[in-house]
Amino acid sequence: MRRAVVDTNVLLVANSDHADISEECVITCIEALDSLRRAGVTVIDDEWHILSEYHHKLNPNRGQPGPGDVFLKHLLRQQANPRHVAEVSVTESADDWFEEFPDHALQREFDPPDRKFIAVAAADAENPPILQAADCKWLNWWQPLSQAGVHFRFVCPDDVGRFYAQKFPDQTMPEFPPDE
């Protein structure tokens, strides 16, 4: 893994702070964060939209930090180091509405707090994938966003598939994106 945008749920799953997640998914998220921390670049925005959400949901200063907390602490310490963190500019023209989001009609369907991840990935010239752990709704959107140049890596496809089947029992589960 060289470069990625990381959805908050990857950090929360790594901390075992997500209901109904498999132990395999927890381990996979920990490994993904560790790989990115050791040998990758995490892409964030320069206005702290992503870091603020991480900081709101995690605690890098707790006595026994979880792997997600450790990852946040790494980002805070390495924020000025381009070998570990890349910052891109995004334009928030209204609350949780980003001009860099490549499909404004689709942006309306997204949960407002998730839009920043798409905008940051779209704003980065190197087209990093977005690491996604457990939000099954993203399965419905990866194909149109991929056509617009935004790519995804579902870290826990078995859990996402199970959640999708529970949430949308009358729908056929979409395909997962190919591994890149």
Side-chain angles (χ1 to χ4, degrees):
M1 180 180 322
R2 293 187 311 253
R3 192 174 183 95
V5 176
V6 183
D7 185 286
T8 308
N9 68 35
V10 177
L11 284 74
L12 294 173
V13 169
N15 275 1
S16 296
D17 288 340
H18 191 290
D20 300 324
I21 208 77
S22 70
E23 185 63 28
E24 178 181 290
C25 183
V26 173
I27 292 166
T28 302
C29 286
I30 292 169
E31 290 170 348
L33 292 177
D34 191 52
S35 174
L36 194 54
R37 186 174 56 83
R38 292 179 188 274
V41 176
T42 303
V43 184
I44 60 173
D45 63 280
D46 61 1
E47 294 291 324
W48 272 60
H49 295 287
I50 290 175
L51 286 179
S52 292
E53 180 171 316
Y54 289 173
H55 214 279
H56 176 72
K57 296 190 176 196
L58 297 146
N59 183 357
N61 298 316
R62 69 171 122 187
Q64 291 289 322
D69 302 312
V70 170
F71 186 77
L72 172 56
K73 186 175 258 187
H74 161 76
L75 293 179
L76 295 170
R77 287 183 174 164
Q78 298 296 326
Q79 187 176 358
N81 184 346
R83 288 182 37 224
H84 294 285
V85 179
E87 291 185 345
V88 297
S89 294
V90 292
T91 308
E92 186 179 28
S93 57
D95 285 345
D96 295 315
W97 187 267
F98 296 92
E99 293 306 312
E100 291 76 13
F101 199 107
D103 181 333
H104 290 293
L106 185 56
Q107 185 167 193
R108 285 182 187 85
E109 294 182 35
F110 258 77
D111 291 335
D114 289 336
R115 296 171 182 164
K116 64 183 153 289
F117 300 107
I118 305 300
V120 167
D124 188 82
E126 294 190 33
N127 295 334
I130 299 170
L131 303 186
Q132 173 55 253
D135 193 341
C136 66
K137 294 179 306 241
W138 289 44
L139 274 177
N140 291 326
W141 302 316
W142 77 263
Q143 289 178 322
L145 287 168
S146 181
Q147 292 171 353
V150 176
H151 305 286
F152 297 87
R153 179 172 164 235
F154 287 89
V155 180
C156 304
D158 291 342
D159 289 76
V160 169
R162 183 169 41 88
F163 294 147
Y164 192 93
Q166 291 169 354
K167 188 171 192 129
F168 306 109
D170 298 331
Q171 293 184 24
T172 300
M173 187 168 62
E175 294 180 23
F176 282 90
D179 288 335
E180 296 181 9

